[in-house]
Amino acid sequence: MKLVRGAWKLLVGIKDALVLIAMLLFFGLVFAALNARPGTKAIKDGALVLDLNGSIVEQPAEPAAFAALSGQNTPKQFRLRDVVRAIDTARTDGRVKALVLDLDGFTGAYPAALGEIGDAIARVRAAKKPVLAYATAYTDGSYRLAANASEVWVNPLGGTLFMGPGGNQLYYKGLIDKLGITTHVYRVGRYKSFVEPYTRTDQSDDARAASQALYGTLYDQWREAVAKARPKAQIAQFLARPDALVLAANGDIATANLRAGIVDKLGDRTAFGKRVAAIAGADTSKPAGSFNTITYDSWVKANPLPTGGDAIGVLTVAGDIVDGEGGPGTAAGKMIEKAMLDGLAKKNLKALVVRVDSPGGSVLASERIRLAILEAKKKGLPVVVSMGGLAASGGYWVSTPADVIFAEPGTITGSIGIFGIIPTFETALAKIGVTTDGVKTTPLSGQPDVTGGTTPMFDTLIQAGIENGYRQFIARVAASRKLSPARVDAIGQGRVWDGGTARQIGLVDRFGTLKDAIAEAARRAKLDPAKIHAEYLEKPPGVLAQLAAGFDTGDDDTTTGSDAFGRIALDRRQMVARAVGDMKRLATSGSIQARCLECGGIGPSAGDGGDARLLDLLLARIGL
């Protein structure tokens, strides 16, 4: 009998192994097929279509392995440098008869990124190549891009109203008090407003003044850029009195846009497609309004990054700075440290560029990244920092090893200050009759006690540690920028600055893009900028992530445009997602933080981040 059972187990084991091998072979073949598919077809003449149905970021997050197969709606993220390269290569390639910007599903980017892409589009237009933009309704961000087009189209049933940066922030103090949660806040920085939603019911005067200055500058930059791209458009009038212009058009927003010169043409997608077909050729195998198309993915693959010449390392610090490990799109300290040290050991790097696009996060992880960057300096490599959309708080901390710092006028930076938050629940527990007691051998036994509350001694010690951390932050910036600690403290205090002001006060050296920073690093290494290539020190996507990306064919026609009411619905969802995310951050924040609050309301839509995914999970759990 034992022999029979043993034989049966052996057979079951063999069967399971064969099934596993078969599954691995199947997915391996699928992956190989999908990986080989893009780029196998020759690029034919047509219009290069940038269907930007998502956000533009410095480093896209890795897609979930089987999100596409499960029907999960995963917002797309486009890599900034790929978008810019696609536009610039299209400008001089005769196969590209026109550049088409499909902005119906665009969910935003930081002002600096919008400026860089807008400039690239303007270069195509200046080269006399047609650029056509289409949307049902443009947002401020999508219009920043569309304004550079030679033809701007809008749906007759849509129309555009400009909002400007700013808006309300959620404050949870009233809810926290009702729940009986005690929020212990330890911070340094007069303007370090990240903690205010948990400690106040409204915005402090200092935070309001800082936000007004930042948003005002970014608003002015937006107006100047749009006015430069479309000098005949009545932008000022549409910003000051949109109601008068819309009422004069009998409530027809699209017609008001047309009369003000904000758009050039009214038409649905079919009409727009026919216009593009007249330039790039009609695709007669498809319905009316179809035209010869060059897809974004195929074009990017057909125009890869150069690999010749000496290597300039580019270390990307993008997303929230967190302890431990994490995937692309998150600046995990351990992951970035490993990428930096592996690059120094395995690549023959001649210089280093640190590309920063982060609102900050863990001080411990920020310091870990900073020390890894210093290893490059110890080897004698020039270190240049290139700030993207934002490099605030921890994002500035990791920038301090730089020999020179590049930024854009619209870069958000500064926010030199740190804080820590510990919630305790003694009052909430008391409301339901739960108390705590126990033996303590030292004044710090059991601290921080999330069920019984913290002690004055513990609060004093933690606040002292926060103040020491701030002094270290100030010292690093002072040494890096050759400023006195008193001067850094004066421009620090958690204050957030735009890139233009940051340059004036000494936090930034020059204006320029990542390309400019790489060229400067080459010059500092005594190399010819024309004979180098960027060696990106990033972990390549895993097999499953590549498989998931392969299932996205780029032919998704499900995206539909939204009018003003659709934007209201999106804003409502984003607010709920932010509230859910804020509660998670309050409950799970486990380290001293250097993070920027103001940065969250300026860049890509909140619907693209972890807050939205958390909201989706919550709604799924409760059956909505």
Side-chain angles (χ1 to χ4, degrees):
M1 196 66 180
K2 289 182 180 179
L3 180 62
V4 173
R5 282 199 297 266
W8 177 254
K9 288 181 179 180
L10 178 61
L11 290 173
V12 170
I14 293 173
K15 182 264 294 181
D16 291 342
L18 290 174
V19 170
L20 178 61
I21 292 171
M23 290 180 63
L24 291 174
L25 286 172
F26 169 77
F27 285 114
L29 290 171
V30 171
F31 169 72
L34 291 172
N35 197 47
R37 176 181 49 80
T40 57
K41 296 180 180 179
I43 300 293
K44 297 182 179 179
D45 291 1
L48 174 60
V49 178
L50 269 60
D51 183 5
L52 300 176
N53 56 335
S55 60
I56 297 173
V57 299
E58 188 63 37
Q59 186 182 65
E62 196 168 88
F66 298 105
L69 290 178
S70 65
Q72 182 178 338
N73 182 21
T74 304
K76 290 185 180 180
Q77 293 181 327
F78 298 85
R79 193 186 299 271
L80 173 61
R81 66 172 182 261
D82 290 343
V83 175
V84 173
R85 186 172 79 256
I87 296 171
D88 278 336
T89 51
R91 175 172 54 90
T92 56
D93 196 303
R95 294 171 295 179
V96 178
K97 304 305 179 183
L99 177 65
V100 171
L101 308 174
D102 189 337
L103 298 169
D104 250 346
F106 184 56
T107 56
Y110 282 103
L114 293 173
E116 186 174 354
I117 297 168
D119 290 344
I121 296 169
R123 290 193 290 270
V124 177
R125 182 179 176 183
K128 306 301 181 184
K129 183 166 288 190
V131 181
L132 299 94
Y134 182 88
T136 304
Y138 293 97
T139 62
D140 293 17
S142 62
Y143 192 77
R144 173 68 179 83
L145 304 182
N148 295 281
S150 48
E151 291 185 23
V152 180
W153 286 62
V154 75
N155 191 296
L157 297 180
T160 296
L161 298 172
F162 301 119
M163 306 300 176
N168 286 332
Q169 164 71 40
L170 294 172
Y171 289 82
Y172 309 113
K173 180 66 165 60
L175 173 62
I176 288 172
D177 289 345
K178 287 184 178 180
L179 295 175
I181 300 172
T182 304
T183 308
H184 303 268
V185 173
Y186 315 92
R187 72 167 182 172
V188 180
R190 174 181 170 186
Y191 300 96
K192 200 65 183 174
S193 59
F194 193 91
V195 300
E196 288 191 355
Y198 311 109
T199 61
R200 297 178 58 92
T201 59
D202 60 358
Q203 192 175 40
S204 69
D205 291 339
D206 287 337
R208 186 179 302 278
S211 294
Q212 286 174 338
L214 175 65
Y215 292 168
T217 300
L218 295 176
Y219 177 52
D220 289 342
Q221 291 176 359
W222 182 91
R223 289 192 304 173
E224 291 168 4
V226 170
K228 179 182 178 182
R230 299 186 70 81
K232 295 182 180 180
Q234 300 172 26
I235 298 295
Q237 296 91 317
F238 223 92
L239 289 168
R241 289 296 309 276
D243 55 336
L245 296 178
V246 172
L247 289 174
N250 294 319
D252 189 332
I253 299 175
T255 296
N257 294 157
L258 183 64
R259 290 177 178 176
I262 290 171
V263 302
D264 301 302
K265 301 283 185 181
L266 304 184
D268 61 10
R269 281 191 170 275
T270 300
F272 177 74
K274 289 180 178 179
R275 169 59 181 149
V276 178
I279 300 171
D283 187 343
T284 56
S285 65
K286 293 184 178 181
S290 300
F291 52 87
N292 294 331
T293 298
I294 303 171
T295 65
Y296 169 79
D297 287 339
S298 63
W299 186 253
V300 169
K301 288 181 180 296
N303 291 274
L305 291 166
T307 57
D310 292 306
I312 305 295
V314 180
L315 182 72
T316 303
V317 182
D320 290 346
I321 299 176
V322 299
D323 298 310
E325 298 183 350
T330 299
K334 184 177 180 180
M335 177 187 71
I336 294 177
E337 177 192 54
K338 185 177 187 304
M340 181 72 261
L341 298 182
D342 284 351
L344 292 174
K346 301 175 183 179
K347 312 285 186 182
N348 186 21
L349 305 180
K350 303 300 183 182
L352 177 68
V353 173
V354 183
R355 177 65 168 179
V356 183
D357 193 73
S358 171
S362 164
V363 169
L364 184 64
S366 299
E367 177 66 1
R368 187 171 190 169
I369 295 170
R370 186 188 76 90
L371 292 175
I373 296 169
L374 284 176
E375 290 299 315
K377 299 199 78 168
K378 290 178 183 178
K379 290 183 175 290
L381 272 63
V383 176
V384 177
V385 162
S386 170
M387 292 180 172
L390 69 164
S393 290
Y396 199 89
W397 185 297
V398 303
S399 301
T400 54
D403 300 320
V404 59
I405 295 178
F406 282 77
E408 299 278 10
T411 296
I412 303 162
T413 189
S415 193
I416 299 169
I418 63 176
F419 67 91
I421 302 176
I422 299 177
T424 60
F425 305 92
E426 64 276 14
T427 304
L429 293 173
K431 288 181 178 181
I432 59 175
V434 179
T435 57
T436 61
D437 196 6
V439 174
K440 302 172 183 63
T441 56
T442 74
L444 295 179
S445 292
Q447 291 294 314
D449 187 348
V450 297
T451 60
T454 61
T455 65
M457 179 183 289
F458 176 82
D459 291 340
T460 298
L461 289 170
I462 295 299
Q463 181 61 34
I466 293 290
E467 291 173 2
N468 178 60
Y470 180 66
R471 285 192 294 270
Q472 292 185 47
F473 201 164
I474 292 293
R476 284 161 175 66
V477 176
S480 171
R481 308 310 301 159
K482 296 180 174 55
L483 299 170
S484 69
R487 174 57 179 162
V488 176
D489 181 45
I491 61 180
Q493 293 291 324
R495 181 74 179 261
V496 181
W497 305 97
D498 64 276
T501 306
R503 185 182 180 188
Q504 294 174 7
I505 62 178
L507 293 178
V508 167
D509 295 301
R510 304 181 196 173
F511 292 147
T513 64
L514 174 60
K515 183 178 179 181
D516 297 321
I518 292 172
E520 175 63 20
R523 285 190 286 267
R524 287 175 176 263
K526 297 180 171 55
L527 302 173
D528 183 351
K531 298 179 180 179
I532 55 95
H533 74 275
E535 185 73 34
Y536 288 92
L537 309 179
E538 299 176 359
K539 179 182 177 182
V543 172
L544 290 179
Q546 293 182 54
L547 178 61
F551 278 109
D552 184 1
T553 64
D555 297 326
D556 183 10
D557 294 327
T558 60
T559 300
T560 56
S562 294
D563 56 15
F565 292 98
R567 289 173 62 180
I568 291 171
L570 179 61
D571 289 343
R572 188 166 60 240
R573 177 181 173 82
Q574 290 170 5
M575 180 171 288
V576 175
R578 179 59 187 265
V580 173
D582 282 343
M583 289 298 101
K584 177 178 179 291
R585 281 183 280 274
L586 174 63
T588 61
S589 177
S591 61
I592 297 173
Q593 300 285 304
R595 189 183 293 270
C596 165
L597 175 68
E598 294 86 350
C599 304
I602 300 172
S605 162
D608 287 334
D611 291 354
R613 290 189 290 273
L614 183 62
L615 176 62
D616 287 340
L617 178 61
L618 178 63
L619 294 177
R621 286 290 179 89
I622 62 178
L624 293 178

